[in-house]
Amino acid sequence: MRRSTPLTILLLTGLALGGCARDRRLPTTLAPSRMTTIGVNAYLWRAAIDTLSFAPLTQADSNGGVIVTDWYTTPATPGERVKITASILDQDLRADALRVAAARQVNRNGAWVDVPVAAATVQKLEDIILTRARDLRRSAVRG
């Protein structure tokens, strides 16, 4: 019986190196930025729901991508209340796929009066939602 030592060594080396071709702990695909099961981007939707969970919701339409809170008053400022609307406009995870609008009222002599909302407040809410959506996507990629 003849031994083919070079062929055996070559075969074993090929098998050993083939197993080292990639790190199996790393994901081979990225989590999709487009999620179509609910009509809008799922990461933006979940992030918006999480971020606005401090206030009671009056509307949450995942197909249309609209979230509306009821008026919310903080215990620290009982004479002021806010109402927030978040709209998800696209199925992609992009900054321009999110719009946040806020209304603010103050109580003057027993009547609620509309007052302006600082643009920085709305921008901060958008930033918080977008950051949360990116974190959710990163978590999905890591698995």
Side-chain angles (χ1 to χ4, degrees):
M1 194 164 165
R2 189 173 140 195
R3 288 187 147 165
S4 59
T5 305
L7 182 60
T8 304
I9 291 173
L10 184 61
L11 181 62
L12 290 175
T13 304
L15 288 173
L17 290 177
C20 297
R22 67 180 171 96
D23 187 353
R24 297 193 188 284
R25 294 172 297 164
L26 296 175
T28 56
T29 59
L30 293 177
S33 66
R34 177 177 283 202
M35 303 295 288
T36 58
T37 58
I38 63 170
V40 296
N41 185 277
Y43 301 120
L44 281 174
W45 178 258
R46 185 74 230 161
I49 290 288
D50 288 351
T51 302
L52 300 177
S53 65
F54 67 90
L57 299 180
T58 58
Q59 179 183 355
D61 177 11
S62 63
N63 286 322
V66 178
I67 301 167
V68 180
T69 70
D70 199 359
W71 289 104
Y72 174 73
T73 303
T74 63
T77 56
E80 181 179 324
R81 64 185 187 174
V82 294
K83 184 176 191 171
I84 301 166
T85 302
S87 302
I88 301 168
L89 308 171
D90 199 348
Q91 292 179 346
D92 289 328
L93 177 53
R94 301 183 332 208
D96 63 351
L98 174 68
R99 293 283 181 265
V100 174
R104 182 174 152 234
Q105 293 182 337
V106 293
N107 193 336
R108 291 192 183 139
N109 300 324
W112 291 102
V113 179
D114 290 333
V115 293
V117 177
T121 302
V122 173
Q123 183 63 48
K124 183 67 175 170
L125 275 171
E126 285 182 359
D127 290 344
I128 291 169
I129 293 170
L130 288 168
T131 301
R132 176 76 177 127
R134 284 186 214 108
D135 290 345
L136 288 170
R137 183 166 186 259
R138 281 188 201 116
S139 295
V141 169
R142 286 188 211 124

